[in-house]
């Protein structure tokens, strides 16, 4: 639905052609994941924060906002999750599905990165601030969903996460207390060394690179203690790698 909204909203022919192909890609992804999920014992509900993010993006009043919400934020999350899933899963079917989906996803994220940058650069300053404000609010609501900059907070407002804990025999209340104690003692959950952190490595550097973070909103991020990461190293290496993979495919 969001990709279809983008097809309507982008002003030019090439953009519409691109967004139409993305709409088709997403329909294919929905179909394949729907079929995969049906094979699993349990289907978890969508995280409310993710739904809120998509609901805020869908009716946005400028195509750049839709592209930021969908192609940069939601798909940045997806790209990070898929890369990590591909590495971690021991299900061959899931791995091959994810590999195929990833080829499409990196194209979708690339669209946001290339197209949005041009548009923001040519915008009136007031419009640029409006877009930067939208980006900030989107990121802030995403933070509420993942429980903070490191995604390390107890995500106990997410019924699916609570359900997953229960399924694993872990009491949600105990879990929250344990996380809080660990944080107070300065213990941070370890990430595998080559795991991709969607917010730190993909989303924030991409938003900075396209000009969707202005000096004014930088102060808002600071006030909310949301770190603004600018190092696009991981993003760029993925872009190169994904481009190579697409070329080989
Ligand atoms: Fe996508």
């Amino acid at each position: 639905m969001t990709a279809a909204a983008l097809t309507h909203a982008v002003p030019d022919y090439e953009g519409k052609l691109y967004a139409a192909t993305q709409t088709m890609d997403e329909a294919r992804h929905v179909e394949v994941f729907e079929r995969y999920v049906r094979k699993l014992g349990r289907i978890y509900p969508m995280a409310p924060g993710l739904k809120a993010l998509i609901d805020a993006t869908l009716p946005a009043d400028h195509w750049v906002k839709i592209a930021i919400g969908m192609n940069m934020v939601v798909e940045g999350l997806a790209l990070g999750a898929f890369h990590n899933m591909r590495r971690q899963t021991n299900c061959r079917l899931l791995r091959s599905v994810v590999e195929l989906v990833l080829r499409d996803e990196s194209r979708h994220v690339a669209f946001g990165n290339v197209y949005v940058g041009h548009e923001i650069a040519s915008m009136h300053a007031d419009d640029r601030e409006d877009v930067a404000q939208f980006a900030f609010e989107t990121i802030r609501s995403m933070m509420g969903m993942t429980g903070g900059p490191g995604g390390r907070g107890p995500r106990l407002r997410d019924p699916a996460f609570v359900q997953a804990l229960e399924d694993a025999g872990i009491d949600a209340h105990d879990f929250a207390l344990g996380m809080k104690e660990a944080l107070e003692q300065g213990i941070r959950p370890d990430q595998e060394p080559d795991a991709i952190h969607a917010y730190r490595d993909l989303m924030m550097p991409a938003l900075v690179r396209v000009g969707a973070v202005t000096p004014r909103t930088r102060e808002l991020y600071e006030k909310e203690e949301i770190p603004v990461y600018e190092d696009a190293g991981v993003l760029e290496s993925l872009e190169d790698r994904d481009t190579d993979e697409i070329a080989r495919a």
Side-chain angles (χ1 to χ4, degrees):
M1 282 165 70
T2 321
L6 187 69
T7 314
H8 285 286
V10 282
D12 61 290
Y13 177 70
E14 273 85 11
K16 284 187 192 297
L17 285 183
Y18 162 76
T21 65
Q22 181 174 350
T23 308
M24 194 186 73
D25 289 344
E26 303 298 0
R28 218 167 47 227
H29 300 174
V30 168
E31 187 183 0
V32 72
F33 281 121
E34 207 264 347
R35 285 165 69 179
Y36 182 83
V37 149
R38 298 262 158 237
K39 294 180 185 298
L40 304 176
R42 182 190 279 285
I43 299 171
Y44 293 102
M46 184 177 185
L50 184 58
K51 185 173 186 312
L53 246 171
I54 292 171
D55 286 346
T57 298
L58 206 44
D61 60 3
H62 195 293
W63 73 264
V64 168
K65 294 182 186 172
I66 302 178
I68 285 178
M70 174 176 69
N71 298 75
M72 303 184 75
V73 177
V74 174
E75 303 213 277
L77 275 178
L79 195 60
F82 288 146
H83 271 285
N84 293 335
M85 209 185 280
R86 173 170 67 171
R87 267 182 344 101
Q88 286 164 356
T89 184
N90 46 26
C91 170
R92 271 167 45 206
L93 174 60
L94 180 61
R95 188 176 306 124
S96 71
V97 165
V98 165
E99 274 169 5
L100 290 169
V101 169
L102 262 174
R103 281 186 203 155
D104 295 337
E105 281 319 314
S106 45
R107 196 167 57 239
H108 303 165
V109 172
F111 170 82
N113 289 333
V114 173
Y115 220 64
V116 166
H118 286 294
E119 180 72 11
I120 290 181
S122 63
M123 268 182 167
H124 185 278
D126 292 351
D127 295 331
R128 192 176 307 133
E129 287 301 341
D130 186 36
V131 163
Q133 185 68 29
F134 178 83
F136 166 71
E137 282 163 18
T138 309
I139 290 291
R140 187 176 53 183
S141 90
M142 192 208 67
M143 285 298 171
M145 169 180 119
T146 57
R152 55 181 180 263
R155 296 177 294 172
L156 296 178
R157 271 167 298 171
D158 177 354
F161 187 68
V162 172
Q163 186 64 57
L165 285 176
E166 274 172 27
D167 291 349
I170 299 168
D171 181 84
H173 186 67
D174 281 353
F175 177 84
L177 278 179
M179 285 295 283
K180 192 165 163 271
E181 274 173 28
L183 281 175
E184 280 164 6
Q185 289 167 26
I187 301 170
R188 297 278 180 275
D190 265 354
Q191 262 201 343
E192 290 177 55
D194 52 346
I196 290 170
H197 191 286
Y199 175 74
R200 183 194 61 208
D201 298 330
L202 306 176
M203 214 180 286
M204 213 58 218
L207 286 173
V208 171
R209 197 172 60 177
V210 297
V213 178
T214 60
R216 182 187 64 85
T217 58
R218 216 173 258 276
E219 285 175 23
L220 298 178
Y221 287 98
E222 237 167 71
K223 226 179 272 168
E224 299 274 338
E225 295 180 33
I226 300 173
V228 176
Y229 296 103
E230 313 203 22
D231 181 355
V234 173
L235 178 65
E236 280 163 13
S237 75
L238 268 189
E239 283 168 346
D240 291 345
R241 199 169 79 196
D242 288 341
T243 313
D244 291 348
E245 278 174 18
I246 290 165
R248 273 204 308 275

